[in-house]
Amino acid sequence: MPIGRGGRAADGREKVRAGRLRGWGGVTGMAVACALTAAAVLVPLSRHPGADGAPAGSVAQGTAGRPAAPAADTCKEPEASLTPSGADGPTIARIKAAGKLVAGVDQNSYRWGYRNPATGQLEGFDIDLVKAIAREILGDEDAVIYRAIPTSQRIPALKEGRVDVVVRTMTINCKRLEEVAFSTAYFETGPQVLVPKGSPITGYDASLRGRRICSASGSTAETQLKAKSFGADISRTVPNQLDCLVRLQLGEVDGMVTDNALAAGLAAQDPSVKLVGQPFATEFYGVAMNKDASDLVRRVNKVLDAYRQGGASSPWMAAYRKWLAADLPDITAPPAPKYRG
């Protein structure tokens, strides 16, 4: 039974937990339940100490003698990353000694990183990329410890050594490069407004005035709304983008702002919502890593270089057709890489 926007939130939340939100079925019912679980973390089967004796449960970070990110005052092209290399360095050596790649991912973003309720396995475009990285470094795509982390914890998880990589629809920008390093871009997207069908909101414009607009804490959408809100109430921030959709369905907000790549997956889950207006910026997703892990940055760029090769038959295009083409049609190629040395 659908949830009415005028109904009580408490009643609505019980229906969400029951997996009956707007008549959703297995995948989305499970995903929403995950979104409403505070600090939902994918518990690893085991932990391995680092090669340098770091305690179990942490990921030691090494340096490769060269900064993996430009200084903030020289950041002209944030998408430009280090040139690819297959050479081992201290970070790669530690990962090999541990026998596992520790990856920070999402388990709530349909098509990108989500738990399939039929199999219990993580799936999606980002998950396929994690597997490709593990296959390159460890020779086994299943040699991965997945850690589900909320949007706001992506950078802390890297800086505190809880993960080796974050592959979680993370936008590359100069501010983030002050704290972490990025691979070359693996997907182009842009922020857009998602609203219920029939909403008077027309896009990222004056129609937002007085409206309650949701965004994920720590996201670029939150930053952009703080810079220019058009008079919207932007106080409703949540840990993950899917939490915004739940609030939208419960009538607690009037719209949300997120990357259109993610929003397309949300709209696929709930046909009663739609994207309005146009993307109001161009953004690129990258694999994030510790700022000092230059050897890992170069190795991931080597993976991405191979991932893009082959035109329409490339692994990138195969993953796009499998996971994203139905909701984001007409993409013909991945973004071209940019390098800075």
Side-chain angles (χ1 to χ4, degrees), residues 10-11 24 26-27 37 48 53 57 77 93 96 122 132 146 177 183 213 219 225 273 293 299 307 319 321 324 332 336:
D11 293 338
W24 289 9
V27 170
T37 302
H48 300 265
E77 287 188 307
K96 286 185 173 181
L122 284 171
Y146 292 101
L177 280 169
S183 69
I213 303 300
S219 66
L225 283 167
V273 299
R299 183 63 65 87
Y307 212 59
R321 287 190 294 269
L324 305 176
T332 58

Side-chain angles (χ1 to χ4, degrees), residues 10 24 43 53-54 83 93-94 103 118 123 153 200 227 230 242 254 271:
W24 289 9
V43 180
T83 53
R94 178 189 51 73
E123 297 181 352
Q153 288 300 303
F230 289 99
L242 188 58
D254 302 305

Side-chain angles (χ1 to χ4, degrees), residues 13 16-17 29-41 107-108 148 150 239-240 242-243 246:
R13 291 188 190 278
V16 172
R17 292 190 180 97
M30 177 69 75
V32 172
C34 289
L36 290 176
T37 302
V41 175
Q107 64 175 7
N108 296 324
N240 295 297
L242 188 58
D243 297 312
V246 173

Side-chain angles (χ1 to χ4, degrees), residues 110-111 260-261 263-269 275 320 323-329:
Y110 189 45
R111 307 293 196 191
N260 60 0
L266 297 178
Q269 290 174 301
L275 286 162
Y320 163 72
W323 299 112
L324 305 176
D327 306 315
L328 292 166

Side-chain angles (χ1 to χ4, degrees), residues 151-264:
T151 303
S152 61
Q153 288 300 303
R154 293 176 297 189
I155 289 176
L158 285 166
K159 295 179 72 174
E160 294 165 12
R162 287 181 271 142
V163 297
D164 298 311
V165 296
V166 169
V167 188
R168 194 188 180 287
T169 58
M170 189 169 178
T171 300
I172 305 168
N173 61 39
C174 292
K175 182 175 177 58
R176 288 174 175 170
L177 280 169
E178 296 176 15
E179 301 186 86
V180 298
F182 280 99
S183 69
T184 53
Y186 69 85
F187 201 86
E188 181 177 342
T189 183
Q192 203 166 344
V193 182
L194 187 75
V195 298
K197 289 180 178 177
S199 169
I201 296 172
T202 57
Y204 185 65
D205 54 33
S207 65
L208 295 179
R209 180 172 297 278
R211 305 293 179 180
R212 301 162 299 173
I213 303 300
C214 185
S215 64
S217 178
S219 66
T220 53
E222 180 191 29
T223 301
Q224 287 153 338
L225 283 167
K226 285 180 177 179
K228 189 171 186 178
S229 69
F230 289 99
D233 175 356
I234 59 173
S235 62
R236 276 94 169 159
T237 56
V238 295
N240 295 297
Q241 284 84 357
L242 188 58
D243 297 312
C244 276
L245 182 62
V246 173
R247 288 195 170 200
L248 188 63
Q249 292 164 322
L250 294 173
E252 296 175 359
V253 298
D254 302 305
M256 63 177 286
V257 175
T258 188
D259 304 336
N260 60 0
L262 282 171

